[in-house]
Amino acid sequence: MTTTVRQPGATARLKPTFDGAALAAELDQVRRHAWQRQRVYGDQIGQASKVDWTCLALRSPGGDGDRTDPGGPGPVDFADTPWLERTPQAREVLRSIPAPLRAVRYMALGPGTHSHLHFDTKYGPSWGVARLHVPITTNPDALLHLDGEEHCWQPGEFWFGDFSRNHQVGNDGTEPRVHLVIDCLVVPELAEIFPDSWREFLLEGGAVLNRPATPLPGSPKEWECAFEVPETFTDWEEEDGAFLDPAVPRRRATVHAEEDHLLLTYEGAAPVRLIHLEDGEFRYAGWSEERTVQLHCAGGEVVLRSRVGSTVRTLTLPMLHHLR
């Protein structure tokens, strides 16, 4: 990973602190509902966790209250689930975050449960994403090991963790350890809740800063087109810049209108909704500006970009045809 500014560390204590007792009382209400095992997300929803690691979604792709995965590029963006209406204390936490929210989940690690050592691909500011934690219930034997350091965050505290680094969680206590886990896009305003020591990294080249969505100029039909892309570009977990290799096989991509928005469909893959940024450049719904597609319909070109911090990799390709 190449960035121009060094990240200050793997974790940061954030501002403010919340009422842990009030959050715990609210948690008791929704714990009466049977939570489901956490699932991963790749090109689609993956298998359920084999250990006692359960979730309740307050925000999810499409606002589906039964989804326990963190989501990713897909045909719908993130929305509140019905559970968020029932958790006013959690809503207060979310209102304090000056950034667009992605998945928000209560995550419960059962007694005697341990994860394997792993990392969450591209879940860090260098790719435009931040994962925040507010512990609600914990115990001294519920520990997070992140990037070689041990943590036991306390109820009501507010933390950032770079979970793109190696980490493992375990609970050797007798009660579940429950955190409110919040994924958000990195924007300049997010630096306000980080320590001052993070300001340079977040604002001056270490992080991908996401631009706000803007209305699509003209009719969606005017943007319909087809082109070929390196197949590695269709894999949002691909190694940074792998799509630039001229030896990588290509697959057909089609942009077509659906009501008031655009869907990008790669050959053999599920469609992804496009979110317009500016000048015909789009990110994927459910993802950050780590990956964008820019359509120059008048010029008959498509520009593919991937980003890591201030590093931008670009590939310009011809359109096969403009479908208008």
Side-chain angles (χ1 to χ4, degrees), residues 30-184:
V30 294
R31 285 291 278 172
R32 297 170 187 174
H33 168 77
W35 294 10
Q36 300 179 48
R37 295 285 177 97
Q38 178 190 199
R39 292 178 180 271
V40 297
Y41 189 90
D43 291 333
Q44 58 186 355
I45 302 172
Q47 294 184 343
S49 172
K50 295 180 180 179
V51 299
D52 185 7
W53 204 351
T54 57
C55 299
L56 184 71
L58 304 186
R59 281 181 59 84
S60 71
D64 185 346
D66 291 327
R67 285 189 65 165
T68 59
D69 63 282
V76 295
D77 217 337
F78 291 92
D80 299 346
T81 75
W83 293 107
L84 189 58
E85 267 305 307
R86 300 175 58 176
T87 51
Q89 295 294 325
R91 290 202 305 272
E92 286 298 314
V93 172
L94 301 187
R95 274 195 281 267
S96 73
I97 300 171
L101 302 176
R102 298 182 60 207
V104 178
R105 298 170 290 169
Y106 287 118
M107 301 187 71
L109 190 68
T113 301
H114 297 81
S115 77
H116 62 280
L117 185 66
H118 66 289
F119 61 91
D120 301 328
T121 306
K122 297 185 178 179
Y123 268 84
S126 295
W127 299 276
V129 181
R131 177 162 285 173
L132 316 179
H133 279 235
V134 178
I136 300 176
T137 64
T138 191
N139 64 78
D141 295 315
L143 300 175
L144 163 68
H145 295 269
L146 174 57
D147 199 34
E149 295 185 356
E150 184 177 275
H151 302 273
C152 186
W153 298 336
Q154 295 303 299
E157 295 177 351
F158 196 13
W159 286 89
F160 159 78
D162 185 348
F163 292 93
S164 70
R165 303 187 183 193
N166 283 331
H167 62 277
Q168 184 176 24
V169 292
N171 182 8
D172 289 320
T174 59
E175 298 294 332
R177 170 257 213 192
V178 182
H179 284 197
L180 181 62
V181 180
I182 304 154
D183 295 339
C184 65

